[in-house]
């Protein structure tokens, strides 16, 4: 029995120390310990040479060895399976080949606007979409009973007149001025909301980019030159521009800027309502009341502001005639921008 015991112990330590570095090694192990002609079978044959009183002990030792070998095999088999399934799982950190998606046209145009104003020193400011009355209206020279509040149909939050979805990104101008002393040169892209019936020409939400430049001795000439620079970079040198006097409570004087219709070339179509011109932005010199409301010295500083709708610019640039296309997520529409 002693001799058999020694052999079993030796095999046990062999099994115990076994490590499979490859599937070939694991297969060799399986054949040796668990295969049809495995080494344990020969050893079991030894039972006839064992005295009866030791036969039981021998059986226990042999069973231990067999269980050990089976457990070892299972251990490396699962490791191997995990490894191969890891190889078939996608590696999300790899760079993308054949990218299927495309940027939304609104994002493409917004990024382009940010780039163009970046070239002339404007940085980007953002703020929240749920605003209080002060930042959306009052600070912008629109006190509670001001009739110009009706120019923008407002969504109030829980019907509370103090909280609303911002109707324009002018609220970001207020927040910026409250925290920054001039010189300020920044643009404010973002989503805005108005309680309007959805149609080809209107939506309950859309996107704006506003701009603000405040320093000493800023004049209307600076405003015009900045906006000329922008439209020429955005639409090309051929674009024709005109300013019309207008009214906004937060600017004085105020103007609107039109460009010649990029869809019909100025000859007249439904987009330009047969006029040949399309309004693309509102602008003006920041009203001194607004500067004072935001703790900026209106005697020392002056500035200009402007605001434009990104959807309008995108429609003109890509000849899109229905505003609803931007929010329907129809891939046949979106795919057309994959190269842009
Ligand atoms: N906030 C205006 C609107 O939503 C657009 C606008 C006009 C913004 C003139 C300005 C501005 O900053 O100076 O219709």
């Amino acid at each position: 029995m002693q001799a058999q015991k020694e052999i079993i112990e030796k095999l046990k330590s062999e099994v115990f120390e076994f490590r499979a570095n490859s599937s070939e090694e694991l297969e060799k192990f399986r054949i040796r310990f668990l295969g049809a002609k495995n080494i344990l079978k020969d050893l079991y044959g030894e039972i006839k040479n064992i005295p009866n009183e030791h036969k039981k002990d021998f059986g226990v030792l042999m069973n231990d060895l067999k269980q050990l070998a089976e457990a070892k095999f299972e251990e490396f088999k699962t490791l191997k399976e995990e490894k191969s399934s890891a190889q078939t799982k996608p590696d999300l950190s790899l760079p993308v080949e054949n990218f299927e998606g495309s940027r939304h046209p609104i994002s493409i145009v917004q990024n382009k606007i940010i780039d163009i104003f970046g070239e002339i020193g404007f940085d980007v400011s953002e703020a929240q979409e749920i605003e209080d009355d002060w930042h959306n209206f009052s600070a912008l020279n629109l006190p509670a009973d001001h009739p110009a509040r009706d120019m923008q149909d407002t969504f109030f939050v829980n019907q509370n007149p103090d909280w609303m979805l911002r109707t324009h990104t002018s609220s970001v101008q207020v927040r910026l001025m409250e925290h920054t002393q001039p010189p300020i040169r920044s643009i404010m892209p973002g989503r805005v909301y108005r309680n309007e019936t959805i149609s080809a020409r209107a939506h309950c939400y859309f996107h704006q980019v506003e701009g603000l430049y405040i320093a000493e001795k800023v004049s209307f000439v600076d405003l015009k030159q900045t906006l000329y620079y922008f439209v020429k970079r955005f639409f090309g040198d051929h674009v024709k521009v005109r300013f019309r006097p207008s009214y906004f409570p937060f600017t004085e004087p105020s103007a609107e800027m039109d460009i010649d219709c990029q869809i019909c070339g100025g000859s007249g179509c439904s987009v330009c309502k047969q006029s040949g011109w399309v309004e693309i932005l509102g602008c003006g010199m920041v009203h001194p009341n607004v500067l004072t409301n935001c703790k900026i010295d209106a005697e020392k500083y002056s500035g200009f502001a402007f605001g434009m709708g990104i959807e309008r610019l995108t429609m003109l640039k890509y000849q899109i005639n229905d505003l609803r296309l931007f929010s329907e997520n129809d891939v046949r529409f979106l795919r057309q921008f994959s190269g842009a």
Side-chain angles (χ1 to χ4, degrees):
M1 166 73 185
Q2 193 52 36
Q4 289 87 353
K5 216 175 156 185
E6 270 171 28
I7 296 173
I8 294 172
E9 286 305 326
K10 244 175 127 179
L11 288 173
K12 255 188 166 175
S13 39
E14 183 186 331
V15 170
F16 190 74
E17 279 158 25
F18 174 75
R19 297 275 172 277
N21 294 314
S22 63
S23 43
E24 289 77 34
E25 280 180 24
L26 186 63
E27 182 57 7
K28 267 193 194 158
F29 176 88
R30 190 191 66 79
I31 293 168
R32 180 163 160 79
F33 290 97
L34 306 166
K37 292 183 185 161
N38 69 59
I39 188 163
L40 304 193
K41 284 193 176 163
D42 293 345
L43 257 178
Y44 272 123
E46 284 288 315
I47 196 143
K48 57 180 185 296
N49 304 325
I50 307 273
N52 275 348
E53 66 270 28
H54 291 307
K55 276 195 176 30
K56 198 173 161 207
D57 291 346
F58 177 76
V60 170
L61 285 176
M62 285 298 289
N63 257 346
D64 282 355
L65 176 60
K66 190 172 169 231
Q67 279 171 12
L68 194 67
E70 280 168 353
K72 187 62 106 177
F73 178 70
E74 284 304 316
E75 178 189 333
F76 280 94
K77 203 175 91 185
T78 24
L79 276 184
K80 201 179 120 197
E81 279 163 4
E82 271 171 20
K83 220 169 143 189
S84 63
S85 73
Q87 276 157 2
T88 54
K89 268 188 211 156
D91 178 352
L92 298 178
S93 65
L94 286 175
V96 181
E97 278 174 41
N98 303 328
F99 182 56
E100 285 278 349
S102 55
R103 277 197 199 285
H104 194 281
I106 296 296
S107 303
I108 295 171
V109 168
Q110 178 171 310
N111 290 343
K112 179 103 185 124
I113 297 170
I114 291 172
D115 285 350
I116 295 174
F117 280 103
E119 290 165 7
I120 48 174
F122 283 77
D123 62 14
V124 174
S125 303
E126 286 173 317
Q128 63 264 47
E129 295 183 3
I130 296 178
E131 265 302 357
D132 54 26
D133 182 276
W134 172 255
H135 292 95
N136 196 76
F137 288 130
S138 298
L140 289 159
N141 205 26
L142 277 146
D145 51 357
H146 199 291
R149 285 194 179 207
D150 296 340
M151 285 163 79
Q152 302 173 351
D153 292 313
T154 309
F155 282 118
F156 293 98
V157 178
N158 293 338
Q159 294 172 354
N160 179 343
D162 291 333
W163 289 99
M164 61 208 68
L165 298 179
R166 66 183 181 194
T167 58
H168 49 188
T169 47
S170 308
S171 54
V172 189
Q173 297 190 14
V174 176
R175 290 192 176 274
L176 181 65
M177 285 189 277
E178 281 177 339
H179 296 113
T180 325
Q181 279 302 305
I184 294 173
R185 193 159 33 174
S186 195
I187 57 168
M188 301 85 192
R191 183 177 284 190
V192 301
Y193 301 83
R194 292 189 198 172
N195 193 354
E196 296 206 16
T197 310
I198 297 171
S199 71
R201 302 178 64 92
H203 211 290
C204 59
Y205 70 81
F206 55 99
H207 299 78
Q208 289 188 326
V209 176
E210 298 224 353
L212 180 69
Y213 179 35
I214 300 184
E216 286 179 46
K217 301 195 182 78
V218 177
S219 75
F220 206 90
V221 174
D222 301 308
L223 167 61
K224 277 178 109 173
Q225 288 307 321
T226 305
L227 294 177
Y228 282 150
Y229 179 82
F230 166 70
V231 281
K232 297 217 177 262
R233 287 283 288 106
F234 188 83
F235 288 107
D237 278 338
H238 61 273
V239 73
K240 289 202 196 90
V241 180
R242 75 176 187 190
F243 280 84
R244 280 179 293 106
S246 185
Y247 170 76
F248 298 103
F250 28 87
T251 44
E252 180 59 36
S254 304
E256 278 173 304
M257 194 172 105
D258 300 340
I259 60 167
D260 58 327
C261 181
Q262 301 295 297
I263 294 183
C264 64
S267 59
C269 68
S270 63
V271 172
C272 61
K273 297 192 201 122
Q274 312 304 328
S275 72
W277 293 94
V278 187
E279 181 237 310
I280 60 159
L281 58 84
C283 60
M285 301 307 292
V286 180
H287 197 294
N289 289 353
V290 176
L291 295 177
T292 310
N293 285 340
C294 299
K295 315 249 167 347
I296 289 178
D297 184 350
E299 298 284 318
K300 185 169 175 202
Y301 297 110
S302 55
F304 65 73
F306 56 87
M308 54 188 126
I310 303 183
E311 276 79 354
R312 174 76 61 88
L313 290 178
T314 311
M315 290 168 97
L316 291 170
K317 180 134 181 128
Y318 295 114
Q319 320 221 316
I320 297 163
N321 59 10
D322 192 324
L323 202 55
R324 289 168 292 198
L325 285 165
F326 293 126
S327 48
E328 280 169 350
N329 274 342
D330 185 333
V331 288
R332 290 168 303 177
F333 171 68
L334 297 173
R335 276 205 188 113
Q336 296 178 73
F337 299 89
S338 55

